[in-house]
Amino acid sequence: MAEKKEKPISVRLSSKSMARLNRLAIELDMNRTSVIQEALKALERIYDGQKQSAASEQLEQTSRA
């Protein structure tokens, strides 16, 4: 099956945010797009972990009842 090609989008950043992005890109020796992609992946892992924790907590509370 053919993989969908992602379309680029345009995003406006404040000069302070752009400076932070540039600094991270230099420190990580990555381009800005890669920095953003890795940050999104990290946020997804955090979100998935929070969902998993919430589900485990719910299961634990249900089993106590």
Side-chain angles (χ1 to χ4, degrees), residues 7-20:
K7 295 181 184 177
I9 61 167
S10 178
V11 178
R12 288 179 171 235
L13 294 176
S14 68
S15 58
K16 186 176 181 179
S17 293
M18 185 57 110
R20 291 170 67 192

Side-chain angles (χ1 to χ4, degrees), residues 1 3 5 9 14 18 21 24-25 32 34 52 54:
M1 187 180 346
E3 196 173 314
K5 179 137 175 106
I9 61 167
S14 68
M18 185 57 110
L21 177 59
L24 279 171
R32 292 185 304 229
S34 296
Q52 184 66 33

Side-chain angles (χ1 to χ4, degrees), residues 18-37:
M18 185 57 110
R20 291 170 67 192
L21 177 59
N22 286 333
R23 189 189 75 237
L24 279 171
I26 291 167
E27 288 180 12
L28 297 171
D29 194 26
M30 300 167 75
N31 65 42
R32 292 185 304 229
T33 301
S34 296
V35 171
I36 293 169
Q37 289 171 337

Side-chain angles (χ1 to χ4, degrees), residues 34-56:
S34 296
V35 171
I36 293 169
Q37 289 171 337
E38 290 301 316
L40 288 171
K41 288 177 191 174
L43 285 170
E44 286 174 339
R45 286 191 299 269
I46 291 167
Y47 177 72
D48 290 344
Q50 288 174 343
K51 283 194 321 187
Q52 184 66 33
S53 293
S56 296

